[in-house]
Amino acid sequence: MRQICIMKFGGNTLANKQKLLMAADLIKARYDDNFIPVVVASANGNLTDVLLDHAFSITSSPDKRELDMLITTGERVSVALLSIALRAIGVPSVSLTGSQIGLITTCTHTGADILSLKGDRLVKEIQAGNVPVVAGFQGIGENKEITTLKRGGSDVSAVFLAAQLGADHVEMIKDVDGVYSADPNKDTKAQKYEVLDFDEMYKLALNGASVLHPDAVRLAKEKGVEIRIVHYQTGRTGTVIK
């Protein structure tokens, strides 16, 4: 039986057509290796910031419910384009929003917390042979309103889905090849970590390492889900957090 493989793509790895097609090829490689990829995607590039700029150009205090309605469109663009790209190369796929998969959250707009996964839409799509391409960072509140998680919340979405679907690890597809002791772009002596434990990674994330959201690391520890930092160009794992 095929094993479920959670693949989370950060916004920088989907920033243009070339990267989007590269992402589709990497998903196809896992699919051809007899995995069932379940993909979680962030909004392309800086689209979330562009959408926020639009809102704040109208008023200095936009309504938070309407902000959620606006910025959740960013992930919808990503998942739809990624699913189109996958179908074009022969991978059956379906794009899904957080509300469509039944990701239930608290009712706090622009900063909700995940509560549960309700319904069986994801499982049904997997059983039908489709690769689900899920919009990260978003869900639906208990009051049936569209919600977003805290910034960087797609990492949390991916770890949560891994735990719910029984996957033992999450591949965080990034434009960096691992976690370093310092920013390798600024410090030539920065060392790459091959393996980190959850507590070490949590401290790094809290201290500004932008590779992972600290809430995702905490949830991964709680649920026992290994995190692998994978480079978007090579598909190879650079750092394992466990």
Side-chain angles (χ1 to χ4, degrees), residues 70-109:
L70 176 69
I71 59 179
T72 49
T73 61
E75 284 75 27
R76 284 179 65 174
V77 171
S78 287
V79 296
L81 288 173
L82 202 43
S83 187
I84 287 167
L86 284 167
R87 286 172 170 267
I89 56 175
V91 178
S93 62
V94 58
S95 62
L96 297 163
T97 65
S99 57
Q100 283 177 313
I101 65 166
L103 194 76
I104 308 300
T105 73
T106 57
C107 299
T108 309
H109 285 295

Side-chain angles (χ1 to χ4, degrees), residues 4 12-13 36 39 43 80 134-135 137 139 148 168 204 227 235 240 242:
I4 288 175
N12 288 342
T13 68
I36 302 170
V39 180
V134 179
F137 175 61
T148 60
D168 62 0
L204 286 169
I227 295 174
V240 175
K242 60 183 181 177

